[in-house]
Structures are given as structure tokens and as C-alpha cells.
Amino acid sequence: MQTSFSPEQLQSPRIQLADDILRNCVHCGFCTATCPTYVLKGDELDSPRGRIYQIKEMFEAGKGAGPQITKHLDRCLSCLSCMTTCPSGVHYMHLVDEARAHVQETHKRPLIDRLLRTVLALVLPYPSRFTLALKAARLARPLAGVFNNFSALKPMGAMLALAPGKIDKPGPLSKTGVHKSDKTKSGRVALLTGCANSVLEPSINEASVRVLNRTGIEVVIPAGMGCCGSLEHHLGMEHGALEKVKANVDAWMAEVNGDGLDAIIINASGCGTTVKDYGHMLRLDAAYADKAKTVSSLTRDITEYLEEIELDGFSDKQNMRVTYHSACSMQHGQKIKTAPKALLAKAGFEVVDVPEGHLCCGSAGVYNIMQSELADQLKTRKLANIAKTSPQIIAAGNIGCITQLASGTDVPVIHTIELVDWAQGGPKPGKIHP
Ligand code: SF4
Ligand code: SF4
């Protein structure tokens, strides 16, 4: 694609990066067919190619963002299905991240929209605030229908509908510090406990520690580590996102330079995609660029890491049919396609793929709150595809997808690592009824 940025415009790192990415696009349109929002709406402006054109025009004009492009960028799930399809290697993720930051810096959204986005950014990345908000949401749940009657307040209704009925208290394995293995030490990793995992399903982190410990891996949950920053990053709130990124880099580098780390383990693929991008996000920060690169190079999804170390110790065949839902951040963001399924099969489960598996379930960070109608359509479509496989269990490697899918089905939706833990003799996941 030809671009026409002036030499002055190209002085800006944002425009330089956008120019490099835009020039790779040959407007073939292959990406449109696999874009969930294009599949639903059939509108070129809600396709990757259409968004790329709109971003190009916005940046070339050198002006602030308007309501039109904001609407079409807000409807993008950042699922990155377009990047998997694109034959020219267009880095849509970095392009849309820059466009969102530009929208945030230059466009004044309606008041309620601004307030909601601010509240989400001030609450969700902080486990204690998030826990309080969930408790309040349980009390306010009867009001969900009222909010749904006003289009500007629909995100509030969606938030209440998604809040879980009960919240489990974290156990000792969720605590900050070192979790040693009883076996001969064969490695040392840090575990990102995450803001959503640690509040919504701490059992995921605890299963992760148990599985790693069983193979002799020492697990550290470092003090000072927090949200990966992806929530604010996807809202275009770069300052808040980068503060969180730097805090995590500091926490992990203290371990790297202390007792050492073989890997940084992530068990929520949405966070994994972001942490693997820290090197890019901090590339212009002289004090952090190298450290962030080291962090990204050490980062592994837990299934990716367990595949590398060849996990064993499974008991008998499980005789259960597990439909594996591959999160977009897993298959498109991190290109991890086989490791989780291979692990489940090794653990003795019968593993089945989801038809149309490349399409997003509608979770996408806070998309199911901010764009609840489109998200609901995608959820219904995904669950209908999953139902065709007659699963006894649905497995996924991302808490956002787990919450989204569980809100529309009675089939237990369980994190891959909890199933692996169970197959090794760990506790039966609470969602599986006797
Ligand atoms: S598939 Fe790639 S090159 Fe083709 S239009 Fe989409 S982004 Fe551009
Ligand atoms: S990230 Fe997903 S929703 Fe956004 S343009 Fe690409 S395929 Fe479409």
C-alpha cells in the first residue's frame, strides 16, 4: 500500500511504525473472510482491510480521530485472526495499538463512555478493587435489565451479567513467595498470577504451581508483580499500561538477577500475548528496552513450557471427551496451536476441536462489556459450534474465554492446566459434578 507521509510526520516513532506496517499491505482482502466483525456485519469498514485504510487516512491527515473511526476501531476485538490469515505479514496488532492510543489522546468520547472506560481501568487490574466490585455486582445484579434498556448503559448490564455467582478465596499456593518442589530441583520459573485469574479462579494458579512442582520446578510468585497491562493497552491508555509493564519487568528482572529464572510462565493467553510484546512496547525506553526484551524472550504459555520439559506422571485414561477452545490470543496472538491439545491427550482425555475454531468467542478483554451485542452474537455462534462436538468438558487456556463461555452453557468450562493437574492426581476441578 502506498503511503504519503511527509518527512516531518515520519519523525514521529508512531508514524514511522505505522508507515512500515501499512506498506506491507497489498489490499488483497484475504483477511476479511476470517474477521469475526466482518463475518457478522458484512461491512468493509468493520473488516481488517477497511480498518487499515481508515487508520492510514487518520494518520496521513495528521488530525485527531473522529467518531467514525473510533466506532470501527472499538468494534475490533484485537483477536488477530487477520494476522494469521494475512499472506503479507501485516502486523495489524501493532498498527491498531498505535491507532487506539491516538484515539485516546485526540478524541473526546461521550461522557458515559469515558466514565466507564476510566472505571474499568481503575478497578479490573487491581485484585482487591476487582473483588469488591464483584461483590457489589452480585448485589446489583437485579438491575441488569434496567441498564439494558438504555444503550449507553448496556456495558453496565453486561458487566453485571458476567459477574460470577461465587468467588473462591485464594489458597496458600496463590501466595506471593517461593513455592518449592519436594523433588530434586530441575528448574525455576516465575508465575504471573494475573488480575482476573487470581480473583475469578485462583484454582488455575494453584493447579499451575502443583503441576510445575511435581516435575521438580520451583515456582516464584514475585512481590511487585501485578496486572500485565493489557487491559489499559487495549483501551489505548498507554501511560497506565506502561507503568504496569515496567513494574512487572522490575519484579521479574529482580528474580533473573537473583536466584535466576528459566521462564516466566503465563496461564492466561491474553496476558501472554502482551508480555511477549513487552520488548516492542518498551523499545523506545532506554532504561527498559533491554530488560523488556529479556522478559519477553523468557515468557512461555504454561502449555508451551510443559511441552518443552516433557511432562509425565499421568494416571489412567480419563474417558472424558474434552472440546478444546483455542483462545484467539493463544492461536493467533502466540501461534500456539498444538501444545495444549497434545498435553490434554497425553493426560488421557479425548480431545476434540471446535468447528470454525478461528473465530473469537466474543470475550476479548473488556469487549464483552463494551460491545456486548456483538460479543453475545459471537458467544452464541461459538457455543453452537461447540455443542456440535457433544463435549463433557470444554477446555480453554484463557480466563476471559472461560468466563464468557461459562455464561452461556451448563457444560463445565475448565482451564487446561486444571485438567492436567487432575489427571496427575490433583484435586478434581470444582466445576465437574460427581
Ligand atoms: S490479508 Fe494482509 S495484505 Fe491482504 S488486505 Fe489483509 S492485511 Fe492487507
Ligand atoms: S483483530 Fe480480529 S476483529 Fe480486529 S480486524 Fe483483525 S480479525 Fe477483525
Side-chain angles (χ1 to χ4, degrees):
M1 181 181 284
Q2 260 198 333
T3 56
S4 53
F5 294 110
S6 68
E8 293 72 39
Q9 283 178 306
L10 287 167
Q11 297 297 310
S12 146
R14 174 172 294 161
I15 299 299
Q16 218 176 76
L17 176 66
D19 187 49
D20 286 346
I21 298 170
L22 289 165
R23 281 169 178 272
N24 283 332
C25 176
V26 295
H27 13 142
C28 63
F30 288 159
C31 52
T32 54
T34 58
C35 169
T37 56
Y38 183 77
V39 168
L40 290 185
K41 299 194 84 70
D43 182 349
E44 174 76 13
L45 295 174
D46 283 315
S47 77
R49 183 174 60 181
R51 292 187 176 107
I52 288 169
Y53 270 115
Q54 293 170 83
I55 294 170
K56 171 183 171 325
E57 279 167 18
M58 173 177 78
F59 281 150
E60 280 180 346
K63 294 191 182 140
Q68 274 305 310
I69 184 166
T70 302
K71 177 172 84 180
H72 296 296
L73 290 182
D74 284 354
R75 282 186 189 157
C76 168
L77 295 133
S78 277
C79 68
L80 309 180
S81 177
C82 48
M83 283 184 64
T84 296
T85 316
C86 176
S88 304
V90 172
H91 208 305
Y92 178 84
M93 178 174 97
H94 287 161
L95 185 67
V96 81
D97 286 346
E98 295 296 338
R100 287 202 169 114
H102 184 76
V103 169
Q104 177 68 13
E105 288 159 18
T106 62
H107 177 62
K108 192 161 184 190
R109 293 170 179 274
L111 179 66
I112 293 192
D113 197 11
R114 263 183 287 147
L115 277 175
L116 267 168
R117 295 163 73 89
T118 305
V119 168
L120 290 174
L122 286 175
V123 173
L124 299 195
Y126 305 93
S128 50
R129 296 180 202 172
F130 189 16
T131 306
L132 272 178
L134 285 177
K135 286 182 180 161
R138 278 215 306 257
L139 296 175
R141 206 197 289 263
L143 296 175
V146 180
F147 288 127
N148 286 336
N149 288 332
F150 303 94
S151 81
L153 295 177
K154 273 193 178 154
M156 299 290 292
M159 213 162 13
L160 296 181
L162 281 166
K166 75 176 184 58
I167 311 166
D168 292 333
K169 279 215 172 89
L173 290 181
S174 287
K175 290 215 166 87
T176 298
V178 178
H179 299 278
K180 288 187 190 291
S181 168
D182 295 338
K183 306 243 172 83
T184 311
K185 186 170 156 183
S186 58
R188 188 173 194 271
V189 301
L191 176 70
L192 173 69
T193 44
C195 35
N197 266 4
S198 59
V199 174
L200 294 170
E201 296 201 18
S203 54
I204 297 171
N205 290 331
E206 290 157 16
S208 303
V209 174
R210 277 192 298 270
V211 171
L212 289 161
N213 277 176
R214 257 182 227 123
T215 65
I217 309 284
E218 180 172 298
V219 182
V220 57
I221 300 178
M225 183 187 69
C227 167
C228 69
S230 63
L231 185 133
E232 282 159 284
H233 186 49
H234 290 145
L235 290 174
M237 299 174 174
E238 282 312 280
H239 179 74
L242 291 180
E243 288 299 301
K244 290 176 179 61
V245 171
K246 287 183 196 172
N248 286 340
V249 170
D250 286 339
W252 287 323
M253 286 309 290
E255 295 297 334
V256 170
N257 296 325
D259 289 343
L261 286 182
D262 299 315
I264 295 163
I265 301 295
I266 317 268
N267 55 19
S269 57
C271 310
T273 304
T274 300
V275 179
K276 286 182 176 178
D277 202 40
Y278 276 12
H280 172 82
M281 291 167 79
L282 288 174
R283 71 197 182 287
L284 302 173
D285 188 318
Y288 276 90
D290 288 345
K291 293 187 279 184
K293 232 179 177 172
T294 302
V295 161
S296 289
S297 70
L298 282 171
T299 301
R300 300 276 183 285
D301 181 76
I302 188 156
T303 57
E304 202 178 11
Y305 182 69
L306 293 176
E307 189 182 42
E308 282 169 19
I309 62 166
E310 295 199 7
L311 195 64
D312 54 19
F314 294 111
S315 42
D316 297 333
K317 240 183 142 27
Q318 304 302 317
N319 285 327
M320 290 196 94
R321 189 175 171 83
V322 174
T323 296
Y324 174 71
H325 161 75
S326 185
C328 297
S329 43
M330 190 76 85
Q331 58 172 318
H332 305 306
Q334 299 184 58
K335 309 280 183 243
I336 299 172
K337 298 193 176 162
T338 55
K341 289 192 288 183
L343 200 56
L344 286 168
K346 204 170 177 185
F349 295 99
E350 182 198 351
V351 187
V352 187
D353 281 322
V354 183
E356 265 191 353
H358 63 284
L359 286 184
C360 181
C361 67
S363 163
V366 290
Y367 192 92
N368 51 1
I369 295 173
M370 301 306 288
Q371 299 285 333
S372 57
E373 281 176 27
L374 285 173
D376 279 350
Q377 287 176 44
L378 288 169
K379 177 172 76 178
T380 304
R381 188 171 177 135
K382 179 66 74 181
L383 286 171
N385 275 317
I386 288 175
K388 289 178 194 160
T389 66
S390 309
Q392 289 169 288
I393 294 172
I394 302 166
N398 190 43
I399 184 71
C401 309
I402 291 172
T403 311
Q404 171 80 343
L405 296 175
S407 68
T409 178
D410 290 332
V411 180
V413 190
I414 300 174
H415 195 287
T416 309
I417 201 66
E418 290 193 81
L419 294 174
V420 170
D421 180 37
W422 181 34
Q424 283 188 322
K428 185 175 183 176
K431 294 176 193 170
I432 299 178
H433 304 299

